[in-house]
Amino acid sequence: MAINFDPIFSGMQNGPEKIKGNFDKVNDGLGWGEPQNFLNMNGITSEFSQYKVRKDGNAVIVSLYVTGAAIDSSSSVACYLPTSISKRIGYSLSTQVIGRTDNNALGFMNIATQTGKCTFHKPDASGLYIQATIPLV
């Protein structure tokens, strides 16, 4: 069934633009909030270390670049997500996010969901890139 929109738009100045404007307002909930900086960053470059929460509250995207010598779980290199976000990441006590090093090896970031502390592990001294979308509950 085809709908004839001409009668709807005939008396309306900029009708299609107004409808698009209203559609954008409805879809605004699926966009991303403003970039936020991680808390208490130690050993992480500030140019590329942010997170964004989806406006509907169902996901967080993390983007960061970790530099330094080979990092393991005993390293002091860490950052923190606010606990208001980290406690909504899954049902377990920690979550692991995979990343890639400058030398094309795999590394990862562990997120302690109760404290928001993010620690890193990478097999070599190159930088580690993390970019991931994580669902929130």
Side-chain angles (χ1 to χ4, degrees):
M1 172 181 176
I3 299 173
N4 183 3
F5 287 99
D6 290 333
I8 298 170
F9 295 138
S10 65
M12 187 185 302
Q13 184 178 359
N14 299 325
E17 291 82 6
K18 288 182 180 179
I19 289 175
K20 183 187 180 313
N22 288 335
F23 181 77
D24 288 345
K25 289 177 190 172
V26 170
N27 280 332
D28 194 42
L30 299 179
W32 294 94
E34 292 298 313
Q36 304 285 325
N37 292 323
F38 282 82
L39 307 173
N40 302 328
M41 295 190 307
N42 181 13
I44 299 171
T45 59
S46 60
E47 304 86 37
F48 188 57
S49 300
Q50 297 181 329
Y51 66 91
K52 293 181 190 179
V53 178
R54 203 164 93 170
K55 288 185 180 177
D56 66 2
N58 289 330
V60 63
I61 188 168
V62 295
S63 300
L64 41 79
Y65 179 64
V66 180
T67 60
I71 298 168
D72 59 31
S73 58
S74 64
S75 173
S76 63
V77 175
C79 63
Y80 289 82
L81 281 169
T83 55
S84 60
I85 294 171
S86 67
K87 287 183 178 181
R88 295 183 55 213
I89 297 175
Y91 296 104
S92 64
L93 295 177
S94 68
T95 294
Q96 196 170 78
V97 179
I98 302 295
R100 178 188 62 82
T101 69
D102 291 330
N103 294 331
N104 291 323
L106 293 178
F108 55 86
M109 173 177 76
N110 286 324
I111 304 170
T113 57
Q114 295 302 306
T115 64
K117 184 176 183 179
C118 302
T119 55
F120 305 91
H121 174 77
K122 57 191 182 95
D124 55 41
S126 67
L128 173 66
Y129 295 94
I130 302 277
Q131 187 167 10
T133 303
I134 305 167
L136 299 175
V137 292

